[in-house]
Amino acid sequence: MAIDYQAILETIYQEVQPLLSQGRVARYIPELSKVSAQHFGMAVFCLDGRRFTVGDAQTKFSTQSVTKLFALSLAFEREGDAIWERVGREPSGNPFNSLSQLEYERGIPRNPFINAGALVINDILAQRFAQADMAVLQFMRVLADDQKIDFDRDVALSEQRHAHRNTAIAHLMKDFGNLRNPVDVVIASYCRQCAITMSCEELAKAGSFLANHGSIPWNGTQILDYSSAKRLSALMLTCGTYDVAGDFAFRVGLPAKSGVGGGILALVPGELTVVVWSPGLDAAGNSLAGVMALERFTTLTGRSIF
Ligand code: GLN
């Protein structure tokens, strides 16, 4: 029997309501603290063209670390396996903004989804493109088939003014010779990249090439080959939700990438993308209601990679 995605989204929407007041909106980027924790949106984008949404699925939010997935896709597409000389592929087991491993691992970040790794990817893109952040933005516009997607300049500046920890990470990597561009250039570009705003619906569409083994489902454009898409999906599963990726795999069972704006993009390979947004975060920095919503989604649909 066909899965009634709309009915499932509506059930989840009801179920998560009591959770919306339990998460805490990110405050270390002051501009993000202005967003209400009461938002909840969810969008499903099926590769066969069907779409389903509930709640605030059309409201734009700060995509933050979800952009790390797109920046990595672009860098991997351009540079291939050369990127692995500068960034690893193992879960860090540490918070996304931690400095500690970087010191004893000599400036090579554990993976491209922690801040250190994303700064290196931004630096790699800056060697290829005039402006790394513009390259990521343009890439996301193509993937979402929407030229209006843009940065939120207030969020970018707000993060840049408070980017002490990311700047420290960048300096440490520069000292180890793992950053080619000036620290302030990389930080400014990274903050703008993180400040790209999109809705659940737009992100679900933009990420669909990964669920479709590397090709844009509606026009067949190949962004990544089959094997590269598989590899990025594997990294999402092992490293995409910070230091709780193991628990996320246990509870949800899908490759996913989260951001401190409260968005999570997840894939059912070969079938669909599902994006959830709710700005209240848990202790690890993942959307509290978002993780629960995805857990319910895989339970109610019977879909996961396992
Ligand atoms: N821009 C944020 C930061 O660097 C992104 C972090 C995140 O979403 N986990 O802290």
Side-chain angles (χ1 to χ4, degrees):
M1 208 177 79
I3 297 172
D4 188 345
Y5 286 111
Q6 192 59 43
I8 288 173
L9 291 190
E10 278 158 25
T11 301
I12 293 170
Y13 186 70
Q14 295 307 325
E15 287 181 359
V16 297
Q17 292 305 315
L19 298 177
L20 301 183
S21 45
Q22 292 179 24
R24 286 178 60 87
V25 174
R27 303 206 176 278
Y28 75 103
I29 300 173
E31 201 61 27
L32 291 186
S33 68
K34 297 180 180 168
V35 181
S36 162
Q38 293 302 314
H39 287 292
F40 180 89
M42 200 163 177
V44 171
F45 186 99
C46 297
L47 299 182
D48 62 12
R50 290 174 303 144
R51 292 148 199 226
F52 307 91
T53 59
V54 77
D56 302 321
Q58 278 86 21
T59 307
K60 299 218 185 231
F61 61 90
S62 196
T63 53
Q64 293 296 324
S65 278
V66 183
T67 62
K68 291 174 180 167
L69 178 59
F70 296 93
L72 174 64
S73 301
L74 187 57
F76 199 24
E77 187 241 318
R78 294 298 159 113
E79 304 288 330
D81 284 332
I83 63 176
W84 307 121
E85 287 161 22
R86 294 182 56 191
V87 61
R89 304 189 293 252
E90 288 291 347
S92 69
N94 275 311
F96 61 85
N97 56 3
S98 169
L99 277 144
S100 50
Q101 272 168 349
L102 259 190
E103 165 74 349
Y104 60 82
E105 295 186 354
R106 309 199 58 78
I108 305 291
R110 272 288 170 103
N111 69 67
F113 293 149
I114 53 174
N115 287 4
L119 290 166
V120 166
I121 295 296
N122 207 282
D123 186 57
I124 289 172
L125 290 174
Q127 291 172 264
R128 275 272 178 171
F129 299 95
Q131 261 185 275
D133 54 314
M134 283 307 297
V136 176
L137 177 65
Q138 200 47 46
F139 186 52
M140 297 191 72
R141 286 174 172 168
V142 168
L143 293 174
D145 195 21
D146 184 348
Q147 287 300 314
K148 292 192 299 297
I149 288 166
D150 212 344
F151 309 114
D152 181 326
R153 282 159 182 82
D154 294 335
V155 171
L157 280 176
S158 177
E159 175 162 13
Q160 216 180 320
R161 283 198 198 101
H162 296 84
H164 307 300
R165 194 167 260 275
N166 285 335
T167 306
I169 289 172
H171 275 295
L172 194 53
M173 294 195 296
K174 185 91 182 161
D175 186 65
F176 280 114
N178 198 16
L179 215 59
R180 310 286 183 261
N181 293 277
V183 165
D184 56 338
V185 170
V186 177
I187 292 291
S189 167
Y190 168 81
C191 291
R192 280 194 298 270
Q193 171 196 312
C194 289
I196 293 174
T197 60
M198 286 169 83
S199 67
C200 294
E201 219 176 20
E202 290 164 347
L203 257 185
K205 187 171 181 181
S208 61
F209 77 99
L210 278 169
N212 198 34
H213 308 297
S215 299
I216 295 180
W218 63 91
N219 65 16
T221 306
Q222 192 170 35
I223 303 291
L224 293 172
D225 62 31
Y226 193 98
S227 170
S228 303
K230 178 189 72 183
R231 290 175 164 182
L232 286 205
S233 305
L235 278 176
M236 291 168 78
L237 185 73
T238 54
C239 312
T241 43
Y242 317 135
D243 45 332
V244 291
D247 192 57
F248 187 90
F250 180 87
R251 289 176 60 189
V252 178
L254 295 178
K257 183 71 206 88
S258 58
V260 292
I264 308 175
L265 186 163
L267 318 172
V268 181
E271 276 193 61
L272 57 85
T273 49
V274 50
V275 174
V276 62
W277 170 56
S278 179
L281 307 178
D282 61 21
N286 292 311
S287 171
L288 189 138
V291 176
M292 180 55 84
L294 289 170
E295 181 173 354
R296 294 296 292 147
F297 181 80
T298 51
T299 302
L300 293 171
T301 59
R303 289 290 186 276
S304 89
I305 61 165
F306 300 108

